[in-house]
Amino acid sequence: MPSEQSPLFYPDLALSKNAYVSSSAEYQQMYKKSIENPEEFWGEIARQFHWETPIDSDKFFRYNFDLTKGPIFNKWLDGATTNISYNLLDRNIRNGHGDKIAYYWEGNHPDDYSRLTYKKLLEEVCRFANVLKSLGVNKGDRVAIYMPMILEAVITLLACTRIGAVHSLVFAGFSSDSFAERITDCEARIIVTADGVWRGEKLLQLKSICDQAMAKCAQEGHNVQHCIVVSHLERVTSPSGSQRHSNRTPMTEGRDIWWQDVVPQASTSCYPEWMQAEDPLFMLYTSGSTGKPKGVLHTTAGYLLYAATTFKYVFDYKLNDVYWCTADIGWITGHSYVVYGPLANAATSVLFEGTPFYPDNDRFWAVIDKYKVTQFYTAPTAIRALMKFGEQIVKKHDLSTLKVMGSVGEPINPEAWLWYYKVVGHEKASIVDTFWQTETGGHVLTTLPGALPMKPGAAGFPFFGVQPVLLDENGKEIKGEGEGYLVFSRPWPGLMRTLYGSHDRYEVTYFSKFPGYYCTGDGARRDADGYLWVTGRVDDMLNVSGHLMSTAEIESVLTEHEHVSEAAVVAKPHPVKGECLYCFITLSEQGTYNEALLKELKTHVRERIGPFAQPDVIQNAPALPKTRSGKIMRRILRKVAVNDREVGDISTLAETGVVEQLFAMRPPNA
Ligand code: WT7
């Protein structure tokens, strides 16, 4: 565990000098204002955006975080109206950025690339918005999206916001079952997808996954009316060479529509739907500890302000910079920091379809070099994977343009941090270790790149408007140094408003453990210098390569197999993925623990959830360690997973022999 004695790394002087926030004192002063006078702090920011109905200062922000006092709510700029696509596009064009590049698109294959200006992006957004309207999509309707990293994905999100439809994007790595569950939950009648996409040398047939999902929805009594399909494979280079993929995607007459058949002839103007500040903007599913995914709901005005402001200050984005976030658009990072934050700041971004390993393991560095990227945002798991290929492959490329480099998704280990800092950033670029969640809408803990010294492994300090508190098990505040539950004592504009269709679950999940606080589910430690170090989840959640999932979710999928009578899943540390899945299964009488069964179970998890959830280890467990009341003692299973016999106190175990048996039965490769 890194300690507070770890060295401080100061921002490069030139970077500091030109930064929006140049010193610790300046950060403190702005932070103080954001806490003491949120109306003024956020009001000044809000004035840079367009409000069709002006902001009512009496209703600037209201909330209740205390369940004992009534329902939880959190409202910002209530009564004002605006349109997000108008602010991201029309407003920037009026300000003279029409010919500025919004996105450089870089395909999976280096021969494929294109670009889109703000003006052209607005035209395409309007075209697709008109198509959606013509298909009967109205304000408030949900549109489910299953798309790769292509320009049409951004266009689709913004087209939804143009007409006030609520987008629900599902990461195109989820299985058809997972997608179906999410379509049905939000009752989306329209799906937008692409025929397929190459990821490295692998072809993903997205449309067939959608077909399976739609069939599944129909079984549940939910009929999808239309599926709009971008014809993508024909226009890109396949890994085998220059020959194009011929389009053999099956289309269902009357239901499925090729994007290219309807979008080009649609009108390039579409009057924006003026939305209430608290109207839903989008929903995004995240794993819940009970297994059923939670539809995190974000609304219009607050999310806009927060995505825009965090993007500006955390990446210190300046007008001629080229910013690149590698996150998939299917995750919140893709929403806030590929789409909304950058566009709200008239930024130029790179949108990358491929993987870090194709055609070679230096693709990230090649792309930074190609576009002269100034801000780069990626995940610790990617950094750890790329470290393995050594420094030479990085040094082949000119990365001297980098000023700020971000990390997100899980705690970054100091070794990976130092490599990122030294080898990629030449000890010149600042690292921002951004802690946040799907629920928080944007960064909540980080250092600002020109203002605050960095500590490898520490997230740092609260962003403007955010008030973190550490609590002990009894809900008592830990002041100064210490470790406890990471909670927040007041809202900021970007915090989620509810879980779609389930406000009760929202209140219980986030606000019932400690009345008066939003509970993150993470633990954190505050060091003597006030830096916050996020120590990881304190609930039954695991984080595999930055993908959050719940143990319950995987367990219920494993027990669907007829020969598995019980399953328990724990996280095991993994050198690249951060954590991996270590599963214990108890078989039924008929079951036999053999290669065939393990293969079946792994395939089943991939099919039910997605490839990223595949277990690394599945161990045979004739019995699980349980308390007398029947609760599985996961603490012990975590010890078995890492083969650590220091299991601690086992006096509450119903049967003590179980522990020895589990150690004896660890698979040889585990
Ligand atoms: C969980 C949220 C936020 C976008 C990506 C994940 C972990 C995220 C960090 C960080 C330590 C981090 C937390 C959090 N996490 N960033 N910089 N340091 N932990 O979004 O899927 O909602 O996951 O990811 O455990 O609760 P998400």
Side-chain angles (χ1 to χ4, degrees), residues 31-43 490:
Y31 178 72
K32 194 160 173 263
K33 178 170 167 185
S34 74
I35 296 297
E36 289 174 359
N37 197 345
E39 284 84 351
E40 197 180 311
F41 183 89
W42 294 108
R490 57 149 85 197

Side-chain angles (χ1 to χ4, degrees), residues 127-138 141 143 163 189-192 225-229 254-259 262-263:
R127 281 189 212 269
F128 193 53
N130 285 322
V131 168
L132 290 174
K133 265 194 191 169
S134 72
L135 295 173
V137 179
N138 290 315
D141 289 350
V143 174
I163 60 171
R189 302 258 166 219
I190 302 277
I191 289 182
V192 188
Q225 275 160 3
H226 292 293
C227 177
I228 303 157
V229 190
R255 184 194 68 184
D256 301 346
I257 304 166
W258 287 111
W259 175 291
V262 286
V263 177

Side-chain angles (χ1 to χ4, degrees), residues 190-339:
I190 302 277
I191 289 182
V192 188
T193 188
D195 48 2
V197 67
W198 291 100
R199 293 273 301 157
E201 296 185 10
K202 226 170 81 196
L203 177 63
L204 300 181
Q205 304 270 14
L206 302 179
K207 173 59 168 46
S208 6
I209 298 172
C210 290
D211 284 339
Q212 291 161 20
M214 286 185 279
K216 190 118 193 165
C217 291
Q219 280 170 20
E220 313 269 308
H222 177 80
N223 286 307
V224 172
Q225 275 160 3
H226 292 293
C227 177
I228 303 157
V229 190
V230 176
S231 169
H232 179 57
L233 292 173
E234 274 191 334
R235 64 185 181 189
V236 295
T237 312
S238 67
S240 55
S242 61
Q243 136 237 358
R244 308 267 143 162
H245 187 88
S246 73
N247 217 320
R248 268 174 266 110
T249 303
M251 299 286 276
T252 300
E253 180 87 40
R255 184 194 68 184
D256 301 346
I257 304 166
W258 287 111
W259 175 291
Q260 281 85 347
D261 284 348
V262 286
V263 177
Q265 57 255 45
S267 160
T268 55
S269 72
C270 174
Y271 191 74
E273 184 79 38
W274 300 115
M275 305 295 286
Q276 290 289 332
E278 285 298 338
D279 274 341
L281 173 64
F282 68 81
M283 45 195 295
L284 185 60
Y285 287 91
T286 187
S287 292
S289 53
T290 58
K292 192 176 152 19
K294 304 177 292 200
V296 169
L297 189 93
H298 286 287
T299 55
T300 303
Y303 177 81
L304 170 67
L305 293 188
Y306 202 68
T309 311
T310 47
F311 178 80
K312 172 179 169 179
Y313 289 105
V314 176
F315 298 115
D316 200 49
Y317 185 86
K318 301 287 165 53
L319 216 49
N320 294 318
D321 289 344
V322 178
Y323 160 87
W324 179 24
C325 168
T326 68
D328 193 277
I329 199 162
W331 306 109
I332 189 68
T333 312
H335 284 57
S336 299
Y337 301 114
V338 174
V339 182

Side-chain angles (χ1 to χ4, degrees), residues 17 65 67 72 105-106 129 144 167 187 286 359 395 439 451 462 504 515 517 533 572 592 624 664 670:
K17 212 168 131 229
F65 261 22
L67 257 184
I72 304 294
W105 180 76
E106 172 81 9
H167 59 75
E187 299 174 292
T286 187
K395 293 200 167 130
E439 293 87 337
D504 287 354
Y517 299 98
W533 301 69
K572 178 187 169 178
T592 327
L624 290 167

